Amino acid sequence: MPEPMKPEPILPDEIDATRRDWIKGAGALLAAAPFAGIVPARAQPAGFGPLKRVEAGDLSVAFVEAGPRDGKPVLLLHGWPYDIHSYAEVAPILAASGYRVLIPFLRGYGETRFRSETTPRNGQQAALAADALAFLDALGIERALVAGYDWGARTACILAALSPERCKGLVSVSGYLIGSREANATPLPPKAELQWWYQFYFATERGREGYARYTRDFARLIWELASPRWRFDDATFARSAKAFENPDHVAVSIHNYRWRLGLAEGEARFDATERKLATFPTIAVPTITLEGDANGAPHPEPSAYARKFTGPYAHRTLTGGIGHNLPQEAPQAFAQAVVDVDAV
């Protein structure tokens, strides 16, 4: 394994003049002249500045921003079932270092909304990646550092693999998370399958109804199982749980897991992208992968994915009972990884 990357002074970013419109290749349409505005005060997230909004691809994206507008862009992507508050402590650390930090609510979370009632409430991996790239395009950002965990790590990996010219560097919790429905068709050993109990629950109508009826209880259980040593309080959970009140949260969540098992169809416009992802493309941009020593969620061993990163690469396992929601449980270490990968 390569030596860990060491922090260096932050230098001005050189914008990559080339631009490959991956969204267009996937068949998605971008707004020609997006409008960025402020979301009403009732929706303001605790611990952040004003919640902003921009029209981007399929979505009207609600997001928070920290740091100087001319700073190097950092896109931070949250997972399921969490929200932007996973980065409540990461954001000010990066902002103080001069980065422009951007944290959007994913489709189906918080104040983010679909722009059309007819758009499928699709949770497949290519759709989420298209959302992220459309978000960068809508803000006029050519190249960014991209970091995430859970769904957010998968999205970040896809951007780094298929649109490397848009990624200055990658920080991914639990490593290489690009998947395929073909690979998911192969059974795992019983103990590994047990970790995916909620995926099988969601495959049933009973599961969909149960998640809709008990969304907060379900999410809290996932938090407890995925981070067994994280002693979050009621207020911390309630702060994020508001994001699950989004009218499309259940539909997007259920589709995500059903699509993985081949029980729900994706959109034809993403077929070409999914075929590329099914080849498990390598990632050449500078990357740091992170793992917590107490991650209770399903995750691969670092040795299983190290060869998928062909550029400058380092892996860090964090000790001290760090679970699945690594940026919220270890914000300083997560922020340091972003700074370090930028210095390569």
Side-chain angles (χ1 to χ4, degrees):
M1 181 180 298
E3 290 295 319
M5 301 173 186
K6 298 180 180 179
E8 298 176 5
I10 298 172
L11 303 175
D13 191 16
E14 288 189 13
I15 300 299
D16 188 346
T18 63
R19 181 172 183 174
R20 177 155 56 93
D21 190 349
W22 176 69
I23 293 286
K24 182 177 180 181
L29 298 177
L30 300 179
F35 171 76
I38 303 297
V39 175
R42 63 176 177 78
Q44 301 306 312
F48 288 111
L51 189 61
K52 301 180 179 180
R53 181 179 299 282
V54 67
E55 308 303 295
D58 291 339
L59 304 175
S60 176
V61 181
F63 68 100
V64 292
E65 183 173 359
R69 290 295 299 273
D70 60 351
K72 292 184 182 180
V74 180
L75 176 62
L76 302 179
L77 300 166
H78 69 80
W80 173 90
Y82 304 91
D83 83 322
I84 63 172
H85 289 97
S86 291
Y87 298 108
E89 294 181 66
V90 172
I93 297 172
L94 292 176
S97 295
Y99 290 96
R100 180 187 181 187
V101 184
L102 301 160
I103 316 171
F105 280 110
L106 302 186
R107 55 171 58 197
Y109 289 82
E111 293 298 311
T112 289
R113 296 290 186 270
F114 283 89
R115 297 173 69 184
S116 171
E117 290 298 324
T118 63
T119 302
R121 273 38 179 175
N122 181 356
Q124 75 182 103
Q125 59 181 356
L128 290 160
D131 291 344
L133 196 56
F135 177 69
L136 292 178
D137 282 344
L139 294 179
I141 295 173
E142 296 283 352
R143 199 168 179 227
L145 294 154
V146 185
Y149 68 101
D150 196 82
W151 287 18
R154 180 173 295 106
T155 298
C157 285
I158 292 172
L159 294 190
L162 299 188
S163 299
E165 73 280 4
R166 306 299 297 274
C167 296
K168 173 71 167 58
L170 169 69
V171 174
S172 178
V173 176
S174 296
Y176 186 93
L177 295 182
I178 295 174
S180 77
R181 298 208 298 179
E182 293 77 9
N184 288 343
T186 302
L188 300 173
K191 286 186 178 181
E193 294 283 15
L194 179 62
Q195 290 185 302
W196 290 105
W197 64 272
Y198 54 89
Q199 181 170 251
F200 300 112
Y201 181 62
F202 287 167
T204 68
E205 182 57 25
R206 175 187 175 95
R208 186 206 63 77
E209 183 177 346
Y211 188 58
R213 183 178 300 183
Y214 304 110
T215 308
R216 287 196 174 208
D217 292 340
F218 200 103
R220 181 152 192 154
L221 175 60
I222 294 295
W223 282 34
E224 292 168 351
L225 294 175
S227 299
R229 294 173 62 183
W230 181 29
R231 299 295 178 254
F232 60 88
D233 58 23
D234 292 343
T236 297
F237 176 76
R239 184 178 64 175
S240 290
K242 292 179 181 178
F244 313 146
E245 296 171 7
N246 183 294
D248 300 306
H249 177 74
V250 173
V252 170
S253 299
I254 296 298
H255 184 270
N256 177 285
Y257 290 101
R258 289 184 178 181
W259 179 85
R260 296 189 199 189
L261 293 179
L263 301 176
E265 292 302 314
E267 294 178 72
R269 60 182 170 138
F270 298 123
D271 286 353
T273 300
E274 292 296 352
R275 284 193 293 271
K276 292 179 182 178
L277 296 176
T279 68
F280 300 108
T282 56
I283 293 174
V285 305
T287 299
I288 292 177
T289 57
L290 300 172
E291 189 59 84
D293 64 340
N295 186 357
H299 62 278
E301 289 297 319
S303 60
Y305 53 71
R307 292 184 179 180
K308 302 305 294 183
F309 300 100
T310 59
Y313 173 68
H315 174 78
R316 298 172 182 175
T317 296
L318 306 184
T319 60
I322 305 303
H324 189 60
N325 186 5
L326 190 148
Q328 194 162 359
E329 298 176 60
Q332 184 65 55
F334 189 92
Q336 187 64 54
V338 173
V339 173
D340 291 353
V341 82
D342 178 44
V344 177

